[in-house]
Amino acid sequence: MTTHRDPVCGMTVGDDARSHEHDHVLYHFCSESCRTRFAADPRAYVADGVGDATPPSAPMADGHACCHGGGAAKVAIGASTTGVPGRYTCPMHPEVVREGPGSCPICGMALEPMDASAPDDGAELRDMTRRFTVAAILGGALLVLAMGGMTEAGARLSGRVGAWVQLALAAPVVLWCAAPFFRLAGASVLNRRANMFTLVAMGVGAAFLYSLFATVLPGLVPANARDHRGDVVLAYEAAAVIVALVLLGQVLELRARRGTGAALRALMELAPPRARRIREDGEDEDVALEAIEPGDRVRVRPGEKIPVDGVVREGSSAVDESAITGESVPVAKSPGDEVVGATVNGGGSLVIEARHVGAASVLGRIVDLVAKAQRSRAPIQRLADAVAAWFVPAVIAVALLAFAYWLVFGPDPRLANALAVGVGVLIIACPCALGLATPMSIMVATGRGAAAGVLYRDAGALQTLEGVDLVFVDKTGTLTEGRPRLVGVEPAGEGEAGELLGLAASLERASEHPLAAAIVAGARERGLRLEEPADVETIGGRGIVGRVSGRDVAIGTLGFLSDRGVENALDEEAIEGERREGKTVVLVAVDGVYRGHLVLADPIKENARETVAALAAEGLEVAILTGDAPATAGSVARALGIDDVAAGLLPEDKATRIEAARAAGRRVAMVGDGINDAPALAVADVGVAMGTGADVALESAGVTLVGGDLAGLLRARRLSRAAMRNIRQNLFFAFVYNAAGVPIAAGLLYPLTGGFVDPMYAAAAMSLSSVSVIANALRLRRAALD
């Protein structure tokens, strides 16, 4: 679906949104109110360059809204342009995007940089901390004065100059400390999108303005706003303490949001800041990592981190790739092998030719994927959005009704009590906890997943994986290692296995066939010395012949050897048994005589059986979809205890089977790693790609297992279940809190208690609700996945 930008508020909308044509251009809007405002004065929204920079009828390049520019969009953000480069977005409303920092026009939350590598200078946290400190000190002083008013000495002070002293203390709190809240509330009114700051500003403003009026013109204050001594009841301390408590909530929230990015920052810090580049004259130079370009050669000494993705050109070593793949065993690297940045070189010095640097590297792509997932919205968020759309207006209506009721029917001082009730309703009902419930859990869960080698493309994949009950798994590279390995050497007669393998591997050195590479690797693992072959001839698809140490060697199929006059002395029954197990048999002849055969297989991954059993124990059915031969697929299935196997499938056949399962009501995940798996990954409810696979498979998947380890699927699903359980807990708490808090603040318990909820207590409860949601979300950082 094509997306468009609402020229009034800057949100991204689809083709089916409300529209209005102006000057032969069709504009799209998120709501009827935005369309009406635009229709009343279109030039106010297109004459200043907003429409010219990106025609509203054209799709945005990145599919997001862009709120920068002049006119209403800039006013709606409620923040001035700072000149800080880069795009920023709202963690709760990812469709809002603008250049530079600011505030979300929907919820008022501070925008965050879309570039995961952008430095976080903590300016907003420092600003809020300063405002909270001032508000806490002055609000505390006001509380002391208010409590002193209960004594005789305090009453005399209150009656003479106390009101002006309280005004002097409260004014800085309301006019400076709370200034961001009033600014954001004003923006919410202009955008016709009431949010928590609307309620805070109304509550604090009402308490302060009433107290100011009573201080300046006390003679006009009616009797129902005075205490038993005849003194005017003021609400300065309530306004100041409310501001302090809301600021405390903001400080705690900002700290928690920075904490949710800890995993992302830890990923970015894996890459070394500098690299040792080799100049054209052969000398080394120490340069910043950003200076390295593809094609440069870098030297990595023992114990150092590899700075870039590339290919080993000189040296050999064992590389610890656990930071990227999670595999604790170091991997041997020699010339021609690929290496990944942020891994640790072992005991040897390496010269590496850079292939991918910066954002194009494996680490850069992981960081980008995690950052995007943290900004995405889970489908369950729609519930909170639907509630928020009517919640704030409903709360304002309840506050006004409660104020009116207690003003008419309440106990004396009626005006003061009615005002306290109305302010309490506005404050206690702030939907901050409701808004934080889903985004906080998503941010923590995706960061936790990245640390465990599980990358979610978006929050939708995180939610969908929880409900999966059927897992289709590709065989090669998913259940098996994806590359052949020599598993047996069977000499004929009295021949020696070492001699047979040495001759075969020496000849296969001249071949580029995957089976040849496996034979050579098997010989080297056994410590055999290989000779240089001569007169090599390769017959595609059949075999290879040549001379090794003066002897004629032929390797290939039975037909290939028979055509060359080799005597057939095979143990055909044994060979056929190997083939029924899905193994590949290669025949070897020396000097025209059959000398034995080599057995190769694609080994099953070490922990595949345990993982399949664990998935079954958690209620998931596992089935194999593969293009391999039925014999090979059946052998792997029997070894892993999988009953449902479909072999010999084309890519479109895999997709068809998945669509049929979904049509039958199953929730399907597909796990694969190859190009042929891409269609199946795309049509499944959630596609899971092995991180060692093809790029097209990774692009088609909703979840990526970085290490290529099937056990990652188990971790991914457990994290998905933990995250969704956490989100439901947050939403339940937020709904219950507001459902109970609003009527209590409105005076529901007055007949039983004979008193009302102090607005200060309402503010404390509101802040605690947000902190509780944040604390619950942060528990996901310790979720047990193994």
Side-chain angles (χ1 to χ4, degrees):
M1 181 178 68
T2 303
T3 57
H4 309 271
R5 176 166 58 90
D6 184 328
V8 176
C9 69
M11 287 186 61
T12 298
V13 296
D15 289 327
D16 56 348
R18 300 167 178 82
S19 61
H20 178 82
E21 184 174 336
H22 169 67
D23 198 17
H24 306 295
V25 176
L26 190 64
Y27 295 82
H28 296 77
F29 305 89
C30 67
S31 64
E32 182 61 28
S33 61
C34 282
R35 192 197 71 80
T36 301
R37 291 173 64 191
F38 180 86
D41 187 10
R43 294 186 179 276
Y45 302 99
V46 298
D48 58 3
V50 175
D52 296 334
T54 305
S57 60
M60 297 294 292
D62 59 359
H64 290 288
C66 181
C67 297
H68 71 284
K74 185 179 292 183
V75 174
I77 293 299
S80 61
T81 302
T82 65
V84 178
R87 295 190 304 165
Y88 283 64
T89 186
C90 174
M92 292 188 189
H93 302 92
E95 68 272 20
V96 174
V97 180
R98 62 160 286 171
E99 296 293 332
S103 301
C104 176
I106 300 175
C107 66
M109 176 176 283
L111 302 179
E112 295 182 346
M114 296 183 67
D115 181 3
S117 63
D120 180 10
D121 60 4
E124 185 186 13
L125 177 58
R126 289 195 300 272
D127 179 60
M128 286 294 176
T129 302
R130 284 193 298 267
R131 294 177 189 271
F132 164 69
T133 302
V134 173
I137 293 173
L138 297 180
L142 282 165
L143 267 179
V144 171
L145 287 176
M147 294 176 66
M150 301 176 185
T151 66
E152 192 63 33
R156 288 196 297 270
L157 176 62
S158 176
R160 292 194 300 269
V161 297
W164 289 99
V165 172
Q166 291 184 54
L167 173 59
L169 293 172
V173 177
V174 175
L175 300 180
W176 180 73
C177 297
F181 304 154
F182 288 105
R183 184 171 62 249
L184 294 170
S188 72
V189 173
L190 290 176
N191 288 300
R192 299 183 184 179
R193 293 182 178 275
N195 53 46
M196 67 165 286
F197 296 105
T198 312
L199 301 182
V200 171
M202 287 182 66
V204 172
F208 181 76
L209 290 175
Y210 157 74
S211 301
L212 178 63
F213 172 80
T215 300
V216 177
L217 300 170
L220 298 182
V221 177
N224 62 8
R226 299 175 182 272
D227 60 21
H228 65 281
R229 292 188 296 264
D231 292 332
V232 176
V233 178
L234 303 175
Y236 285 125
E237 80 283 356
V241 174
I242 288 171
V243 171
L245 289 170
V246 175
L247 284 169
L248 174 61
Q250 291 293 298
V251 169
L252 294 175
E253 179 187 326
L254 288 169
R255 287 181 177 176
R257 282 167 55 192
R258 294 188 74 188
T260 60
L264 197 58
R265 290 193 295 274
L267 282 174
M268 292 187 289
E269 291 170 0
L270 288 175
R274 305 189 68 80
R276 190 172 290 103
R277 182 169 59 189
I278 303 175
R279 298 198 306 250
E280 292 184 1
D281 60 6
E283 294 296 323
D284 294 352
E285 59 176 345
D286 188 58
V287 299
L289 183 60
E290 293 78 13
I292 301 297
E293 297 180 356
D296 287 348
R297 293 196 171 201
V298 297
R299 190 184 309 279
V300 186
R301 295 173 180 172
E304 293 181 341
K305 286 186 177 181
I306 296 174
V308 295
D309 296 359
V311 178
V312 176
R313 293 307 181 197
E314 298 178 19
S316 60
S317 182
V319 175
D320 179 1
E321 298 182 338
S322 59
I324 299 296
T325 67
E327 175 56 56
S328 59
V329 179
V331 181
K333 300 292 182 180
S334 56
D337 290 337
E338 295 184 352
V339 293
V340 176
T343 56
V344 181
N345 185 23
S349 180
L350 298 176
V351 173
I352 298 169
E353 180 183 333
R355 291 285 180 86
H356 304 289
V357 298
S361 67
V362 169
L363 180 62
R365 290 161 63 190
I366 289 175
V367 169
D368 183 63
L369 189 60
V370 174
K372 288 180 179 178
Q374 289 187 336
R375 296 194 303 266
S376 63
R377 292 158 63 86
I380 198 172
Q381 176 69 24
R382 296 170 188 160
L383 174 62
D385 291 345
V387 172
W390 58 262
F391 182 75
V392 174
V395 168
I396 295 173
V398 171
L400 292 174
L401 289 174
F403 172 82
Y405 177 84
W406 292 112
L407 182 62
V408 176
F409 301 107
D412 288 330
R414 289 197 301 276
L415 178 58
N417 286 332
L419 179 66
V421 168
V423 170
V425 171
L426 292 173
I427 297 300
I428 204 170
C430 281
C432 185
L434 183 62
L436 288 172
T438 298
M440 287 297 299
S441 296
I442 294 298
M443 292 175 70
V444 178
T446 50
R448 176 71 176 88
V454 177
L455 304 180
Y456 297 94
R457 177 175 296 277
D458 53 37
L462 178 70
Q463 178 173 341
T464 303
L465 188 58
E466 179 207 25
V468 165
D469 57 16
L470 173 60
V471 179
F472 284 119
V473 185
D474 178 49
K475 182 188 76 68
T476 305
T478 303
L479 296 173
T480 66
E481 294 183 358
R483 55 183 182 276
R485 180 181 295 178
L486 182 67
V487 296
V489 180
E490 302 294 337
E494 301 297 325
E496 294 184 1
E499 179 185 13
L500 175 66
L501 178 57
L503 290 170
S506 295
L507 178 60
E508 293 285 16
R509 292 177 66 185
S511 173
E512 296 181 354
H513 194 281
L515 295 181
I519 293 171
V520 173
R524 286 176 173 165
E525 289 175 358
R526 292 164 173 77
L528 300 179
R529 182 175 178 273
L530 303 185
E531 304 293 338
E532 191 68 30
D535 302 329
V536 178
E537 181 182 1
T538 300
I539 293 83
R542 302 196 67 199
I544 185 173
V545 297
R547 293 182 62 80
V548 178
S549 299
R551 306 178 72 178
D552 292 325
V553 181
I555 305 173
T557 64
L558 175 61
F560 175 70
L561 297 185
S562 298
D563 291 346
R564 304 188 69 81
V566 175
E567 300 177 8
N568 182 4
L570 306 179
D571 184 350
E572 296 187 10
E573 183 177 346
I575 291 176
E576 187 59 31
E578 300 280 13
R579 287 173 174 161
R580 282 196 298 271
E581 291 296 321
K583 299 174 183 177
T584 300
V585 178
V586 176
L587 310 181
V588 182
V590 181
D591 294 331
V593 179
Y594 170 73
R595 294 298 184 185
H597 63 267
L598 309 178
V599 182
L600 299 102
D602 182 6
I604 295 174
K605 289 186 175 180
E606 184 177 350
N607 61 349
R609 184 175 182 82
E610 291 80 359
T611 302
V612 170
L615 290 170
E618 294 194 4
L620 278 76
E621 180 183 343
V622 181
I624 294 177
L625 297 181
T626 180
D628 281 359
T632 304
S635 172
V636 172
R638 287 191 296 273
L640 297 178
I642 297 175
D643 297 327
D644 189 352
V645 183
L649 301 179
L650 296 173
E652 54 267 32
D653 297 332
K654 294 182 180 181
T656 299
R657 284 181 174 265
I658 291 174
E659 289 174 337
R662 294 183 64 195
R666 306 297 297 271
R667 298 292 297 275
V668 180
M670 172 66 195
V671 187
D673 75 326
I675 293 175
N676 62 332
D677 294 321
L681 292 170
V683 301
D685 289 296
V686 58
V688 181
M690 309 300 280
T692 52
D695 285 348
V696 66
L698 303 183
E699 293 297 326
S700 301
V703 180
T704 298
L705 309 180
V706 177
D709 182 3
L710 188 62
L713 175 61
L714 197 60
R715 293 194 293 272
R717 187 166 188 271
R718 287 173 177 171
L719 179 58
S720 173
R721 296 176 68 180
M724 296 311 301
R725 183 167 58 248
N726 190 273
I727 289 173
R728 293 187 184 100
Q729 291 168 351
N730 285 346
L731 289 173
F732 174 79
F733 179 80
F735 283 132
V736 169
Y737 163 81
N738 283 296
V742 170
I744 291 175
L748 179 66
L749 300 182
Y750 177 78
L752 299 177
T753 63
F756 300 101
V757 175
D758 192 294
M760 292 183 291
Y761 295 149
M766 183 270 289
S767 297
L768 285 174
S769 69
S770 300
V771 172
S772 298
V773 166
I774 293 170
N776 189 49
L778 291 178
R779 290 192 307 114
L780 287 171
R781 294 192 294 190
R782 300 185 299 276
L785 305 182
D786 294 319

